[in-house]
Amino acid sequence: MRKLTRFIMPISVLALAIPGLATVASAQGAQEDAIEEIVVSGLRGKPRSSVDSAVPIDTFDASAISAVSHTDLQDVLQTLIPSYNVGRQPISDGASFIRPAELRGLPSHHTLVLVNGKRRHRAALVQIGGSGTQGPDVATIPSVAIQTIEVLRDGASSQYGSDAIAGVINFNLKNNSEGFSLVLDSGTTYEGDGDTYSLAGNVGLPLGENGFISLSAEAYKSDFTERAEQYCEPWFCLTPSNPIFNDNSELRQGFITGTPTPTAAGLFPGAAAFTGVLQQAFPGGVPNASVAGSVVQPWGQPNLESIRTFYNAGYELSNGMELYSFGNYSQSKGDGSFFYRYAGNGTIETLRNADGSFYNPLQKFAGGFTPRFEGEVQDISVAGGIKGANDGGFAYDASVRYGSNEIDYRLFNTINPSYGVDSPTDFKPGILQNEELQFQLDLSNEFDIGTASPLVLAYGTSYMDETYNVKQSSDVASYAAGPHALADPYGFCTGEADFANRTATTVAGGGDFTSSLGGVAAVAGDQIANLDCTDPNDPVYRVVGVGSNGFPGYSPAFSEKYNRDSYAFYGDLSTDVNDRLFLQAAVRYEDYSDFGDELVGKLAGRFLITDQFAVRGSIGTGFRAPTPGQQGTTNVSTRLPNGLPVATGLFPATGSVAQALGATPLRAETSTSYTVGFTAETDNLTITVDFYQIEIDDRFSAISTLDVSPDPTAGSAYQNFLALQAAGVAGAETIGGVFYFTNAFDSRTRGVDVVASYPLDWGNGQETNFQFAYNYNKNKLTSDASAFLNTEDQFDFENANPNTRWNVTANHAIGDFSVMARGRYFGESANSNRGTPLFVQEFGSTFFVDLEASYQLNDNWRLTVGGRNIFDTFPDKVDRVASNNDQCCGRTYVSGSLVPWQGGYFYGRVSMAF
């Protein structure tokens, strides 16, 4: 009854209050006579043009897509759609390569992605922290394979199921049976880095007499960029000329200057001379601390190379039947940096070897080290089915699809600290895989009931099986605890070798154990170099981290396969009641093996007030079950919960670790969305305006990081440490923070979209097409989130992203010559950092200008040159004082910002088509 009430009440309110409301549909570049080329994602049943639909839709054809100078579809969508955003996250584990996106301010798991109208499988990556998003990797779809993109900016859970709370993006593949096209594109940034090369092609071939197969492929390579300055922080500064350097201790200053300091014993007690040698060698090792870049911690886009392929095929049978199939294979590899590890940071510490001599990771990496993270992503999908229709208005589509996305990680230029001198420097932490198998049956009937158009009843059912697999690493050293995960592992001061009463012993014969960095002290009997068992700071007691530092491998304890299945039934009614009123209603029932069932619904309508002016509106409820990946992911990585890099662990909400910290089982999110707007058309001008509100209850999110400390006086941080110990977490002493996913709060998203187009014919063979798109979006917490989010995270949820975005594009054609100019605007934003009161930095607006010129040499060849951000504009830099150092470690711009911060880029393109 609760579910039925939730569905009926909002629909009843709309039906009683404003029966004529309807949503705006925007059609950029669409013509009314091209309806046969547009399959509107907002409707089940009979296709309609964007202008006639009851929900706001953007439609982009192949020419609009190719006019964007990006190859990655994520960047293409961000350029074309102001309400779609994707950021560059250079130090964010797998999110550096599979970038999470947003539509209408909501994370990618709230947007359903379709290919040819069929659900696209999710990527294996679950974003660590924040919204914990897990959505499809749109970048695996080569843009050369796309015929049109339809973006439904309206909740559609009742029609398409879980994930469609913010909207739906449908990629329609090319269906050509002839022709060949090839595009070669190359460019570089104004800084002279980030060189990019791509070669993309499509060929259409006949399949017998009645079929086609369209093949598309893309090879892509981009080099890393560096937008950083040398690492200089109050805790460790590599630039002596920087005033911050003076805040460092004399011992750490000695590393930078290469001068042994008498205070070396302050950091490495009992090993002053040994440390002095390390200090002398340190400056020479700094240039090699990072495997890429001119500074120890580069910030920018990662190296990336990929091969992406897609096919689309169809064959017409008799009686209006058609067999179809499509699918893809893509493989990509990228690598980027993690946080720099400096001397004495808890990882680079002096230890005692099994023979009692000293060891320090600086013997492997003289100038410290910056772990390098690599991800190899393999994406496979195949779908097929049979569809058809008869003259009586009956249509059917039976299909099956399979999709798999797998990430194979590598971590190098790092160590397993607990292995000590025996640690390797190259690791394979393990593999993540997401798999989906779905069977779907879609049916529709048309009934003549005396309305202006037949009543269309669309209905269907689906079954989906989902699996998320955290595969145990075959590289034991990536996760295993070495001897130095425990204090005094060799029993020098405890156990059989009892030296508890010995102090400051020396090497037999007076040997110089610091004669070389690799030198090992000669040990005779029970004499150990400078051992003082009464000193709790002696290296013999030092405990360091477990696993490959930066990203520990998946151990047996945290490797598991998560499965679930679900089934759904839906029904959709739509009709033109008369020449002015169109109405649509939809209902969907879903049942998940892990989250129970839910009934959701939607009502939409369009009312034509005059031949040029219409109002539209929709109201609907939604439902999203957390994915198996969101339930099962685990991770230990370096984060900055208090402005200082520390090892931070994410653990599954249902696992023993998170349960010990107070986690509760996850629940499904539910939503209610509203849209109301209007559209106006004159002879040339078309303008649409849509206001929307999306309310989400029990919203899925990571909690703010909980501090962890082995210090008994640390209060709650110590209690968290005890909880980790009790749950059997290896190396709990070295973890500085922990968090988990939960249903943290309720939220409200409000905004407005404006889309306008104006074609101008100059009457002399020249024409200009103007297009304008605007979005204002605001997120707000509507429940008390303080139990899960600290004040910083609450502020950033509402203010970190620009509320306003718009772009304006002009395409001017003069015969075979054309020019495109585009302006892109990102509004103001603010970012906070912990403090009392909060430290807040305000960021101003940013405006980018793109310019492109093309010349059609003949029927087959086209040359293009252009620039993206031609004035080399950057967003505001980080203010270290205002940010309270939360944006630390050499970054000059907010690295996770949705505002591009790579600077200007120029390119050339050669296209041929036959």
Side-chain angles (χ1 to χ4, degrees):
M1 179 61 71
R2 179 184 63 85
K3 298 180 180 65
L4 187 61
T5 302
R6 177 181 177 83
F7 166 60
I8 291 176
M9 286 191 65
I11 290 181
S12 300
V13 170
L14 182 66
L16 292 173
I18 318 176
L21 288 180
T23 56
V24 171
S26 62
Q28 294 184 345
Q31 301 294 325
E32 291 187 8
D33 59 358
I35 185 171
E36 68 275 6
E37 297 180 1
I38 301 176
V39 179
V40 175
S41 305
L43 297 172
R44 293 285 190 178
K46 184 179 180 180
R48 304 174 68 92
S49 71
S50 300
V51 174
D52 293 333
S53 68
V55 286
I57 297 174
D58 296 315
T59 302
F60 304 97
D61 60 17
S63 61
I65 298 168
S66 63
V68 178
S69 60
H70 289 281
T71 300
D72 190 323
L73 269 183
Q74 296 273 40
D75 296 309
V76 172
L77 291 172
Q78 183 178 38
T79 301
L80 294 173
I81 308 164
S83 58
Y84 188 93
N85 284 296
V86 59
R88 172 64 62 196
Q89 304 193 25
I91 298 183
S92 190
D93 297 335
S96 298
F97 320 121
I98 301 177
R99 296 182 293 157
E102 296 181 353
L103 181 66
R104 284 185 163 179
L106 298 177
S108 59
H109 59 234
H110 287 136
T111 299
L112 179 63
V113 176
L114 308 174
V115 175
N116 282 353
K118 307 301 179 185
R119 178 186 286 264
R120 181 73 174 162
H121 60 276
R122 300 184 186 92
L125 175 73
V126 177
Q127 183 183 3
I128 305 304
S131 62
T133 186
Q134 185 190 10
D137 183 7
V138 172
T140 59
I141 307 173
S143 58
V144 71
I146 304 301
Q147 183 68 35
T148 60
I149 302 174
E150 300 157 356
V151 182
L152 165 62
R153 294 175 280 108
D154 193 49
S157 292
S158 59
Q159 296 156 302
Y160 292 97
S162 183
D163 302 348
I165 288 176
V168 179
I169 301 176
N170 183 35
F171 298 97
N172 290 310
L173 301 174
K174 290 179 178 177
N175 57 3
N176 51 312
S177 60
E178 60 181 9
F180 172 74
S181 63
L182 193 66
V183 180
L184 173 63
D185 192 300
S186 180
T188 190
T189 69
Y190 286 23
E191 303 293 325
D193 57 9
D195 293 348
T196 301
Y197 312 90
S198 69
L199 178 64
N202 169 266
V203 60
L205 301 171
L207 196 60
E209 295 183 357
N210 301 311
F212 73 92
I213 180 167
S214 181
L215 304 175
S216 302
E218 173 189 274
Y220 175 83
K221 184 180 187 299
S222 65
D223 296 335
F224 85 102
T225 60
E226 185 178 68
R227 304 291 179 266
E229 56 191 14
Q230 187 59 288
Y231 196 104
C232 186
E233 305 300 334
W235 54 83
F236 200 90
C237 178
L238 291 169
T239 309
S241 60
N242 193 312
I244 297 177
F245 177 80
N246 298 324
D247 297 334
N248 288 190
S249 67
E250 182 183 351
L251 173 67
R252 293 188 173 180
Q253 289 182 12
F255 277 102
I256 311 307
T257 61
T259 306
T261 57
T263 59
L267 183 61
F268 303 126
F274 175 79
T275 304
V277 175
L278 299 177
Q279 288 177 312
Q280 287 179 295
F282 189 88
V286 167
N288 296 318
S290 174
V291 300
S294 61
V295 296
V296 297
Q297 187 170 318
W299 294 88
Q301 70 183 27
N303 291 305
L304 183 65
E305 57 184 47
S306 63
I307 299 291
R308 297 161 179 158
T309 64
F310 237 104
Y311 80 92
N312 186 32
Y315 191 86
E316 293 184 6
L317 304 173
S318 59
N319 301 321
M321 299 171 62
E322 180 185 356
L323 293 174
Y324 65 87
S325 179
F326 58 91
N328 83 293
Y329 174 82
S330 74
Q331 186 165 325
S332 62
K333 182 168 68 174
D335 66 86
S337 294
F338 276 177
F339 284 100
Y340 170 64
R341 271 59 171 171
Y342 52 87
N345 73 330
T347 295
I348 299 180
E349 302 289 351
T350 295
L351 308 170
R352 285 193 183 273
N353 292 318
D355 61 5
S357 61
F358 294 118
Y359 160 75
N360 188 285
L362 293 179
Q363 294 172 256
K364 295 180 183 290
F365 301 101
F369 63 91
T370 304
R372 194 74 176 178
F373 190 58
E374 179 181 278
E376 187 168 340
V377 182
Q378 180 176 274
D379 190 274
I380 302 172
S381 72
V382 61
I386 184 170
K387 63 183 178 180
N390 61 29
D391 295 337
F394 174 71
Y396 58 91
D397 185 346
S399 64
V400 59
R401 70 170 183 92
Y402 169 81
S404 170
N405 184 274
E406 181 178 280
I407 310 175
D408 189 354
Y409 288 130
R410 176 192 174 206
L411 190 65
F412 58 102
N413 203 56
T414 188
I415 58 174
N416 179 337
S418 68
Y419 269 43
V421 69
D422 296 322
S423 174
T425 59
D426 198 319
F427 303 87
K428 295 289 288 184
I431 297 173
L432 299 175
Q433 183 184 37
N434 188 87
E435 292 183 289
E436 296 174 18
L437 176 65
Q438 184 177 22
F439 299 90
Q440 187 164 323
L441 177 63
D442 299 306
L443 305 168
S444 67
N445 291 88
E446 293 185 4
F447 302 95
D448 188 355
I449 60 172
T451 52
S453 68
L455 174 70
V456 178
L457 169 63
Y459 54 102
T461 183
S462 75
Y463 169 83
M464 185 161 65
D465 182 82
E466 302 173 74
T467 301
Y468 189 77
N469 194 357
V470 181
K471 298 183 180 181
Q472 178 183 334
S473 171
S474 59
D475 183 358
V476 176
S478 72
Y479 63 80
H484 300 287
L486 299 173
D488 192 14
Y490 303 113
F492 294 138
C493 294
T494 58
E496 294 182 5
D498 186 3
F499 301 114
N501 296 317
R502 296 187 178 273
T503 61
T505 59
T506 60
V507 175
D512 182 8
F513 64 90
T514 64
S515 59
S516 69
L517 289 179
V520 177
V523 180
D526 59 3
Q527 294 183 325
I528 306 298
N530 297 309
L531 176 67
D532 185 355
C533 292
T534 65
D535 184 353
N537 293 317
D538 190 281
V540 75
Y541 296 118
R542 171 66 67 179
V543 175
V544 289
V546 172
S548 44
N549 186 250
F551 193 97
Y554 299 119
S555 67
F558 295 105
S559 300
E560 191 173 344
K561 182 181 289 189
Y562 297 81
N563 295 95
R564 78 159 174 225
D565 57 25
S566 62
Y567 61 87
F569 303 93
Y570 76 88
D572 187 303
L573 286 170
S574 61
T575 187
D576 290 289
V577 178
N578 52 44
D579 291 340
R580 295 189 176 276
L581 177 63
F582 170 79
L583 290 178
Q584 178 187 17
V587 63
R588 187 181 185 94
Y589 172 82
E590 291 190 327
D591 190 292
Y592 286 80
S593 59
D594 50 356
F595 285 100
D597 59 349
E598 186 76 13
L599 184 69
V600 295
K602 180 177 179 178
L603 182 66
R606 172 180 180 270
F607 186 73
L608 190 63
I609 296 177
T610 69
D611 291 342
Q612 291 79 35
F613 185 83
V615 293
R616 319 182 178 200
S618 70
I619 184 171
T621 56
F623 171 80
R624 193 194 76 85
T627 69
Q630 291 171 333
Q631 298 175 65
T633 192
T634 181
N635 177 273
V636 177
S637 59
T638 301
R639 298 168 64 84
L640 291 87
N642 298 303
L644 180 72
V646 296
T648 307
L650 166 69
F651 300 98
T654 55
S656 59
V657 178
Q659 291 285 304
L661 294 166
T664 57
L666 296 172
R667 303 186 302 276
E669 298 172 311
T670 55
S671 67
T672 304
S673 61
Y674 312 85
T675 305
V676 61
F678 67 85
T679 180
E681 295 182 274
T682 65
D683 291 339
N684 291 316
L685 177 65
T686 299
I687 183 169
T688 65
V689 179
D690 300 290
F691 298 90
Y692 59 87
Q693 177 170 297
I694 306 168
E695 300 170 351
I696 302 178
D697 294 338
D698 295 327
R699 186 156 169 177
F700 177 90
S701 174
I703 67 168
S704 296
T705 302
L706 304 174
D707 292 334
V708 176
S709 174
D711 182 358
T713 66
S716 61
Y718 180 64
Q719 297 303 314
N720 293 333
F721 163 73
L722 294 178
L724 293 184
Q725 271 197 328
V729 177
E733 295 87 349
T734 64
I735 293 179
V738 67
F739 63 104
Y740 52 84
F741 292 127
T742 192
N743 298 93
F745 53 85
D746 301 338
S747 71
R748 182 186 68 212
T749 302
R750 282 179 175 171
V752 59
D753 288 316
V754 180
V755 178
S757 62
Y758 186 84
L760 180 62
D761 189 343
W762 298 89
N764 58 358
Q766 301 184 44
E767 61 180 9
T768 306
N769 286 303
F770 296 95
Q771 295 177 345
F772 173 78
Y774 169 93
N775 173 255
Y776 174 84
N777 191 87
K778 178 68 175 178
N779 282 313
K780 183 176 179 59
L781 295 168
T782 56
S783 67
D784 183 3
S786 59
F788 303 107
L789 302 184
N790 58 33
T791 54
E792 175 189 353
D793 289 340
Q794 292 181 61
F795 180 93
D796 291 344
F797 175 83
E798 297 184 339
N799 300 281
N801 291 337
N803 292 332
T804 303
R805 271 204 61 205
W806 56 262
N807 64 54
V808 59
T809 304
N811 288 280
H812 184 76
I814 312 173
D816 293 330
F817 182 75
S818 63
V819 178
M820 185 279 297
R822 178 185 292 115
R824 294 176 288 134
Y825 175 87
F826 292 79
E828 299 173 349
S829 61
N831 181 267
S832 73
N833 296 287
R834 296 182 73 173
T836 306
L838 288 175
F839 289 79
V840 176
Q841 181 177 357
E842 303 281 348
F843 294 90
S845 60
T846 311
F847 185 70
F848 302 109
V849 176
D850 307 335
L851 188 64
E852 179 181 286
S854 295
Y855 183 71
Q856 191 74 37
L857 293 175
N858 53 43
D859 291 341
N860 307 116
W861 294 88
R862 186 177 185 86
L863 301 179
T864 302
V865 294
R868 186 169 67 235
N869 184 11
I870 62 173
F871 297 117
D872 199 26
T873 303
F874 286 86
D876 290 346
K877 289 188 174 183
V878 169
D879 183 330
R880 294 174 63 94
V881 175
S883 70
N884 194 27
N885 211 56
D886 193 59
Q887 306 291 340
C888 79
C889 312
R891 79 185 96 189
T892 51
Y893 304 98
V894 179
S895 53
S897 172
L898 299 179
V899 183
W901 45 277
Q902 300 302 307
Y905 176 87
F906 58 90
Y907 58 91
R909 183 186 308 131
V910 178
S911 308
M912 66 176 182
F914 295 89

